[in-house]
Amino acid sequence: MTAIAELVALLAPGKVVTDPEVADSYARDRTFLEPGKPLAVVLAETRDDVVAVLGWATTHRVPVVPRGAGTGLAGGATATEGCVVLALHKMTAITELSPADEIAVVEPGVITADLDRAAREHGLMYAPDPSSYEISTIGGNLATNAGGLRCVKYGVTRDSALGLEVVLADGRVLNTGRRTVKGVTGYDLTGLFVGSEGTLGVITAATVRLRRAPLIYPATIAAEFGSPRDAAAAVAAIIAAGCQPSLLEMLDRNTLQAIDDWKNIGLEPSTRAMLIAQSDAADGPAVSERMSELCTANGASFVAVSSSVQEAEELIGIRRMAYPAKERMGKCLVEDVCVPRSSLPYMIEKIEAIAVRHDVRIATVAHAGDGNLHPVFTFDHGLAEPPPNVWAAADEVFRETLAAGGTLTGEHGVGLLKQRWLSLEAGPTAKELHHGIKQVFDPLGILNPGKAI
């Protein structure tokens, strides 16, 4: 019996896909990267399926690439040659939702927005909300430590992850963390797995923290500026004034132009940047009014404040359209550098200068409240990968980020795309420790090989 025949025999009929064309549809994420050819795809539906696959993979030393919805932007879920893709999107149960404890226990295939909607039926919410929240999964969010629009107030996925059920490379099941808000027993293994990009184990369940949902839909403001620097100055003023926004996003001219070309949002020729902000505090309307005043004081040419839930959702919708609008312009090299908030104006100006110097189109959005910028380098749809000037521009953006005290990735992960720059941030000692940790959890190196570290 061949190894693949043995795998087929281990699982229920239909769970192992070997047809090359079907398997190829599971081999890619949202990047331009050309994946390797997987031996098979396993459509896991239970933890026992994952245990069986990893036990088999250890026996036969076959690499395994875990996959959620395939919305990753760093190549972390792209198939490697001769691997088995372990697809977890069918594991969609919310097995528990406790309003009393403000927690939920979920499988990795649960769509992020679906968990939030389920929580809101009980007056709660799930705080992390990446722009892909309607299609991305909790498992993928955990794998990359995703952030999102509300991270300025509520933090990233790690801040909402209390405990995990993880299947290790050899098929053993590990439970980490707790159901309580506090807990310091042993090392923080939950925090270690969150953001590990499937290189240490496969998450099959998560206990996550829920928050109290605002009693009314937050008032939303949209402010237009004649320059990104003015918009960044408004961000600094909003934070310094103690407004504590629950959302504070910035879009540059190229991003707004891409959205306008697609959806005709009525973009004014003089608008070079836009801020979108919310406050979900009890005095949210008053805070929103204060943020509007601060935008005006820092050069905003126009400020709109939503007067209804529909208007608020439309303004937030502009931000959520940013990435699909850029995909219409060409293939995208998407980055997510993060700098200290005080360095935000500096980085915005550097990115604009780098785009001119290398003759590259860069469209940038930012989780401005926490200094996380997403410069997106677009290039021709007909090219297999970015041309040299795009790589050179990206290299310069990364180096300027590190020089400003920042990091290569705030929430997308290293995946494959950032491998070439990893040594700029992680020195030899850190690299040695990372590989030592990998050796402990995955001594055969079969879990998502070549990714993250």
Side-chain angles (χ1 to χ4, degrees), residues 93-127:
I94 300 175
T95 57
E96 180 184 352
L97 201 157
S98 171
D101 292 326
E102 297 184 354
I103 62 170
V105 181
V106 299
E107 291 184 334
V110 172
I111 298 296
T112 312
D114 287 345
L115 174 57
D116 187 50
R117 281 187 280 265
R120 286 178 188 269
E121 293 179 7
H122 302 275
L124 302 169
M125 70 177 187
Y126 180 63

Side-chain angles (χ1 to χ4, degrees), residues 125-438:
M125 70 177 187
Y126 180 63
D129 67 330
S131 294
S132 59
Y133 77 132
E134 287 285 3
I135 54 175
S136 65
T137 62
I138 296 295
N141 295 170
L142 289 163
T144 60
N145 194 23
L149 277 61
R150 289 193 290 256
C151 57
V152 62
K153 181 173 182 179
Y154 296 104
V156 291
T157 299
R158 183 178 284 117
D159 297 301
S160 292
L162 297 174
L164 302 173
E165 177 187 84
V166 182
V167 181
L168 300 178
D170 59 6
R172 289 179 295 163
V173 177
L174 170 69
N175 288 287
T176 76
R178 60 205 185 275
R179 293 169 59 92
T180 55
V181 175
K182 294 190 220 175
V184 291
T185 304
Y187 296 124
D188 181 9
L189 295 179
T190 302
L192 178 62
F193 280 102
V194 177
S196 64
E197 302 186 49
T199 62
L200 302 179
V202 178
I203 297 169
T204 50
T207 301
V208 297
R209 181 180 181 182
L210 304 176
R211 314 274 183 152
R212 284 287 153 190
L215 295 177
I216 59 173
Y217 195 93
T220 304
I221 72 167
E224 299 177 6
F225 295 85
S227 76
R229 176 168 275 280
D230 286 346
V235 169
I238 288 168
I239 298 298
C243 292
Q244 295 187 316
S246 54
L247 182 152
L248 188 54
E249 300 287 303
M250 188 176 76
L251 300 82
D252 75 350
R253 175 71 193 193
N254 283 343
T255 301
L256 293 167
Q257 189 66 62
I259 296 170
D260 191 57
D261 290 345
W262 181 26
K263 295 294 185 178
N264 191 24
I265 60 173
L267 180 64
E268 294 292 335
S270 60
T271 301
R272 308 302 302 174
M274 178 183 288
L275 277 187
I276 299 176
Q278 278 186 347
S279 170
D280 64 4
D283 59 345
V287 175
S288 294
E289 184 61 33
R290 177 62 177 144
M291 290 193 291
S292 299
E293 293 170 355
L294 291 167
C295 287
T296 300
N298 283 276
S301 57
F302 175 78
V303 181
V305 181
S306 64
S307 59
S308 67
V309 172
Q310 181 180 349
E311 284 186 4
E313 290 179 341
E314 286 174 355
L315 292 174
I316 297 301
I318 292 174
R319 170 60 181 87
R320 294 198 186 278
M321 286 189 286
Y323 185 63
K326 294 169 193 176
E327 286 184 311
R328 296 177 73 253
M329 297 192 304
K331 288 186 177 179
C332 298
L333 170 61
V334 184
E335 299 307 342
D336 71 313
V337 297
C338 195
V339 296
R341 279 195 302 247
S342 60
S343 297
L344 188 63
Y346 167 86
M347 272 310 301
I348 289 168
E349 290 190 342
K350 284 293 182 182
I351 289 170
E352 289 190 331
I354 288 167
V356 172
R357 184 157 50 251
H358 293 279
D359 191 23
V360 174
R361 180 161 186 165
I362 305 177
T364 302
V365 298
H367 303 309
D370 58 12
N372 190 184
L373 299 109
H374 295 306
V376 177
F377 305 74
T378 57
F379 58 99
D380 190 86
H381 278 298
L383 298 176
E385 65 172 52
N389 64 323
V390 170
W391 285 123
D395 180 79
E396 194 168 342
V397 167
F398 284 128
R399 291 177 186 275
E400 290 288 356
T401 297
L402 295 175
T407 180
L408 299 176
T409 174
E411 58 186 2
H412 292 170
V414 173
L416 288 173
L417 282 178
K418 297 184 182 72
Q419 288 285 333
R420 64 178 69 193
W421 296 287
L422 192 57
S423 62
L424 295 177
E425 182 173 343
T429 301
K431 182 177 179 180
E432 180 182 349
L433 289 172
H434 277 82
H435 285 278
I437 292 168
K438 172 72 169 172

